Each structure stands twice: as C-alpha cells, then as structure tokens.
Amino acid sequence: MIDDIVETASVIAAGGAQTTDAVLQTLAQEGTHMTMNTTSAAAARLSSQAVMPLRTLDPTGPSDDLAWLDQAIGDARVVAIGESAHYNGEFYQLRHRLLRYLVERHGLSAYAMETGFVEGLLVDAWVHGGQDELGHVLANGLTSLTGLWTQMRDHLEWMRRHHPTTGFHGIDLGGSNASLLPGLDAVLAYLAQADPEFQADPSIRETAAAFAATSAFAAPAALAAYGALPSETRDALTAGLADLTARMTGRRLDYLQRTTAEDYQRALRSLRIAVALDTVVRAMSRGDMQSAMINRDAAIADTVEWILRREGRIVLAAHNGHIQRGPGFLPGMAPITPIGLHLADRLGQDYLVIGTTSGTGQILNTGPDFYSGELFTTMEAPEPGSLDALMHASHDGPFATDLRRLSPADADAVRAATRQRAGIGTFYSPVNALDAYDILVHLPHVTAAKPDAAALAHSPREVQEAFARWKPQSLAGPVAE
C-alpha cells in the first residue's frame, strides 16, 4: 500500500494547503507518534507446532516444504498473497514460488497483480508469446515501478517458458494511479472500431493529457497539475467520461455486431477504471484521501471479479493492506474498506488470504528524498507487541503458520499482537490477524529488489535518473533479453 502514499500524498497540495514535502513529513510524524505511544510488551513467540519452516525462497528450489498449502487451499477460487512493503526482492520471490506451486499442483490458471489493468494486457500478450522485448514489457506493462526488478523478470520468464497458458492480469487503476490516458486511450481505440461514425469530444483526452504522469516519479507533479485545472474543466472531464460510459453501455448490442464480446468487455472495464481514477483524483485534489482509497479498492475488487469470470482460480498479489479481511488504516485517516473485505463478502470461503510479516532489512523510503533517488531506508527490528515481533521471535528463518489450526495458546498470542508493520515509515497499523488472514508467512530479513537494466533502459528519463542516483553500480553489465 506504500505506493498509495508515496505516489499520491502530494495531491493534498493540489488545493494549495500543503506542499509535497510537508505531507510526507506529516505522515512520518504521525507514524512516529503512534509508535512512541504504543504500549511495550514482553516478547512472545509461537510454539514449534505452529511453525512450518520454509527451507528456501528460491522459486527454482524443491517445493516439498510447501506441502502445507495442499491442505490450506481447499476449493478457494482466489488465493491472495500479501507483502509488507513494495519492491523487496524476497516478497517477489515468495510470490513467484507460491505461484509455481499453486499452478503446478492445484491448477490455478492466472496471476493477478497490483499493477495497472490496461497496462497489464501487454504483459499477458508477452507471456502468451508476444514479440515485444521483455525490457519494454517490464517498463511499460507494469505500473508504479513494479516491473523494474530482475525478480519480476524471472517471474515472467517462468510463466512464458513453462506455463504460457497461465494468464497475467493487472488489477489496479492505470498510469501509476495518476493518469487516465491508458484507460481512456484503450476505450477510444475500441470505439474507433465498434463505433467509427462517433467522434468523442476531443477535450476529454486533452484534459486527461494535461495531468498525465509518465511514471510514479512524475505523479506528484501530474496530480498537482490536475489541482491547478479550473473546476469547470475538471467537471467537464467527469461529465465526458459519464457520457462515454452511457454510450458504451447503451449500444452494447450494436457494438457486438462489429467486435467480439471479449473486446467489448475489456474496453468497458478499461473505461470503468478510467472513471474510477477520475473519482480518486477528484477526491485527492480536495484532500479526501479516505474517499480516494475506498474508491480505488472498490474498483480493484470489481476488476478481480471481472477476472474471475474468465479464469477458474487465480493467485492475487497485492499489499497486505489491500488483501486483508478487515478495515485498513493509514496515518491520519479514518478506516478504509480494502479489496479483501469486498472479496470476502462476495466469495466467502472461496477467498484465502496469505498475509506476510517481516523482521529487519530494507524498506521503501517514504520521505521526500524518495523522489531524488533515496529509494530505500533501513528497517529496524519490529516493535515488541506487534504481529511482526511475534513472528520474528518464533523462528530464525522464513516460515509459515496456519492461523486456522493454532492451539489455544498460540491463538491467544496472535490475538494479543494487535499491530502490524504497514510499510509506511514507522507506522504500525491496527490488525486482528485471526480475522484478517488465514495464513501468515514471515520473512526475517528483506532487502531491496535488484534493478533490471533492460527495464530501466525502456523507462522514462526521471526513472532512470532516480535509480542512477540510488545505486548506479547495480545497473552495470548487460541484461539478456
């Protein structure tokens, strides 16, 4: 969920009340304040019976230590795998390893990831044999910097080589949650085929282009540009999107005479995502981050349901804060409804949630200097009394625990751990783990993922410059396509 803050916190400034730096500093201060006022507790630990060790995170390694999944998965149609923070190499590896097992042993047919829906179509085409260079696909088919890492390259290469029938789907809003152009352009391209006599109002795209972000690093400026637009221009954009939606839904049968049903449904989903992003950006421009997050997660849940109508069973990869069955919390904000609550309501027992905790290592930097290339910062040992501390004290290496099969004493220990590291500075989010998750996986030490040189070569200049300032030595040497 950290991209929700790093990429969008500055939009509070769009109304002129605060600067980007001030918002980020406020988030850090609020996280620190909550941490300092947390009641400390003696270190607790789970019994050895609750610990299922993972011998490796290497996706190519033996998988017999994942046999616990055989009993846990049941008939679940969606297996959600969380992460404590974005861009850690170990979380990429964990999701890749679990996906392999679930595809090969249990026949799950798709991987749905917290990245743009429209952009993800490029990734799916490549997995199914597309001829684009993989560096281009990683940079342009995965949003919010999620594709710029060698661990993601390895993941996609495995899907293409060994399971090209496994679908890839983005579930998120487009343009790093700051640009309507990906969704809008997909719709206009479809209408050119399905409704060639129709001429969409050109001002719709012109307005969207006026605040289009080329990357997550450009998102703050793009969202500030939206805030600077006259209110009548913003209102006209919203009205124009509503008119496009009415035209597409009202002429469905006519359009199906010229296109396939799948092309129509994909274009309509792209339009609904653009409409949702317009709603999100409007809310952020007035400083209403709660409404922005609620509407974003509701749209993501609808997209997951859309995917389920096409795929039998899917692996869903997103931040813990999105997939948990329970209200989400961010600094200084009233509780929000994450996609996990939506999916639990719609799917019941068919929704399985694997949450994660972490110990020490590196975590995404949420300070203002993120935008100047300080991408990661040191992550301290988890606070006593937290869920992360409980897991960290329970075993030296990576392990899983099935929260549905705990002894009474172990269940009490989990119940007493009422906070979880949220991946936003020092902020710990309230959590009821026994309700939020079915399984927890703990990674004792996490590090920054390794940048992929070919993906960066296909990225916008501001991305290349930020990564060069972070670790230029990590970009040396050729990367095979």
Side-chain angles (χ1 to χ4, degrees):
M1 198 177 262
I2 190 65
D3 60 314
D4 311 321
I5 298 300
V6 171
E7 295 169 351
T8 64
S10 62
V11 300
I12 299 176
Q18 293 177 301
T19 64
T20 301
D21 289 0
V23 173
L24 291 168
Q25 289 166 359
T26 297
L27 291 172
Q29 290 166 0
E30 287 179 343
T32 302
H33 179 73
M34 174 169 279
T35 297
M36 292 173 63
N37 285 278
T38 300
T39 301
S40 61
R45 61 182 300 142
L46 298 174
S47 70
S48 59
Q49 288 75 25
V51 173
M52 299 178 290
L54 302 179
R55 285 194 295 277
T56 182
L57 294 178
D58 183 356
T60 67
S63 60
D64 53 315
D65 59 335
L66 298 178
W68 48 269
L69 268 174
D70 299 334
Q71 183 179 15
I73 186 175
D75 297 322
R77 296 184 61 205
V78 176
V79 178
I81 305 171
E83 60 182 0
S84 298
H86 294 318
Y87 319 136
N88 285 122
E90 291 77 10
F91 286 122
Y92 276 106
Q93 288 183 300
L94 174 67
R95 294 186 305 194
H96 182 179
R97 189 167 187 243
L98 294 181
L99 175 69
R100 285 193 183 209
Y101 193 89
L102 292 167
V103 168
E104 294 174 345
R105 300 292 183 91
H106 295 277
L108 274 74
S109 60
Y111 185 70
M113 179 178 169
E114 187 185 341
T115 188
F117 169 80
V118 175
E119 293 90 338
L121 298 172
L122 176 64
V123 181
D124 186 62
W126 187 86
V127 168
H128 288 84
Q131 297 306 302
D132 287 304
E133 292 184 0
L134 182 51
H136 170 77
V137 173
L138 289 165
N140 296 281
L142 294 154
T143 60
S144 301
L145 313 180
T146 56
L148 305 184
W149 316 95
T150 60
Q151 288 87 349
M152 193 68 224
R153 166 185 286 272
D154 294 342
H155 192 153
L156 295 183
E157 287 179 334
W158 173 81
M159 291 181 67
R160 176 170 167 134
R161 184 179 303 116
H162 296 287
H163 283 275
T165 59
T166 302
F168 181 95
H169 300 274
I171 61 171
D172 210 346
L173 309 182
S176 295
N177 298 312
S179 175
L180 275 66
L181 286 185
L184 184 58
D185 284 346
V187 173
L188 295 177
Y190 174 81
L191 289 173
Q193 178 185 5
D195 198 352
E197 297 83 12
F198 171 66
Q199 295 295 321
D201 182 352
S203 68
I204 298 174
R205 194 184 187 284
E206 289 169 3
T207 301
F211 64 94
T214 53
S215 73
F217 290 100
L223 293 167
Y226 174 86
L229 291 173
S231 59
E232 57 269 23
T233 302
R234 289 182 271 173
D235 292 345
L237 173 61
T238 300
L241 291 170
D243 287 343
L244 285 178
T245 303
R247 188 174 188 89
M248 280 204 66
T249 55
R251 290 167 171 76
R252 181 181 69 88
L253 294 179
D254 295 335
Y255 291 174
L256 293 181
Q257 299 297 314
R258 289 178 168 170
T259 73
T260 67
E262 185 61 21
D263 285 344
Y264 171 81
Q265 291 296 336
R266 187 181 298 114
L268 183 60
R269 177 97 307 258
S270 300
L271 178 55
R272 294 200 188 282
I273 285 172
V275 170
L277 182 54
D278 177 65
T279 300
V280 167
V281 173
R282 286 179 71 92
M284 291 190 295
S285 71
R286 61 179 183 266
D288 186 359
M289 288 296 291
Q290 183 194 31
S291 293
M293 294 299 298
I294 285 175
N295 283 284
R296 178 190 173 201
D297 274 46
I300 292 175
D302 289 343
T303 299
V304 173
E305 192 170 28
W306 185 91
I307 295 167
L308 271 178
R309 292 196 290 269
R310 289 150 179 79
E311 306 280 2
R313 305 170 77 189
I314 68 174
V315 174
L316 171 63
H319 192 280
N320 289 329
H322 288 302
I323 66 168
Q324 65 185 23
R325 286 195 213 85
F329 297 88
L330 290 171
M333 189 186 305
I336 62 174
T337 304
I339 63 175
L341 276 177
H342 288 286
L343 296 179
D345 176 66
R346 301 176 192 185
L347 299 175
Q349 296 301 311
D350 285 343
Y351 181 57
L352 181 77
V353 187
I354 303 176
T356 60
T357 55
S358 55
T360 60
Q362 294 174 294
I363 193 170
L364 187 66
N365 177 24
T366 59
D369 52 351
F370 168 84
Y371 294 100
S372 59
E374 292 296 324
L375 305 185
F376 289 84
T377 189
T378 300
M379 181 170 63
E380 303 297 336
E383 291 186 356
S386 67
L387 185 63
D388 302 80
L390 170 67
M391 298 290 283
H392 199 54
S394 298
H395 187 66
D396 291 337
F399 75 97
T401 187
D402 192 329
L403 299 178
R404 302 167 302 176
R405 296 177 173 84
L406 296 175
S407 69
D410 286 329
D412 286 343
V414 173
R415 193 175 293 110
T418 58
R419 316 182 313 282
Q420 181 177 12
R421 197 196 309 267
I424 305 171
T426 59
F427 179 68
Y428 279 70
S429 172
V431 68
N432 181 337
L434 295 178
D435 290 340
Y437 309 117
D438 298 299
I439 294 165
L440 279 175
V441 174
H442 181 70
L443 304 183
H445 189 76
V446 295
T447 57
K450 180 181 178 182
D452 186 90
L456 286 169
H458 286 271
S459 298
R461 177 177 296 179
E462 70 269 11
V463 175
Q464 296 180 18
E465 291 175 348
F467 272 74
R469 287 191 294 267
W470 172 45
K471 282 187 177 179
Q473 70 274 15
S474 65
L475 309 184
V479 177
E481 283 288 351

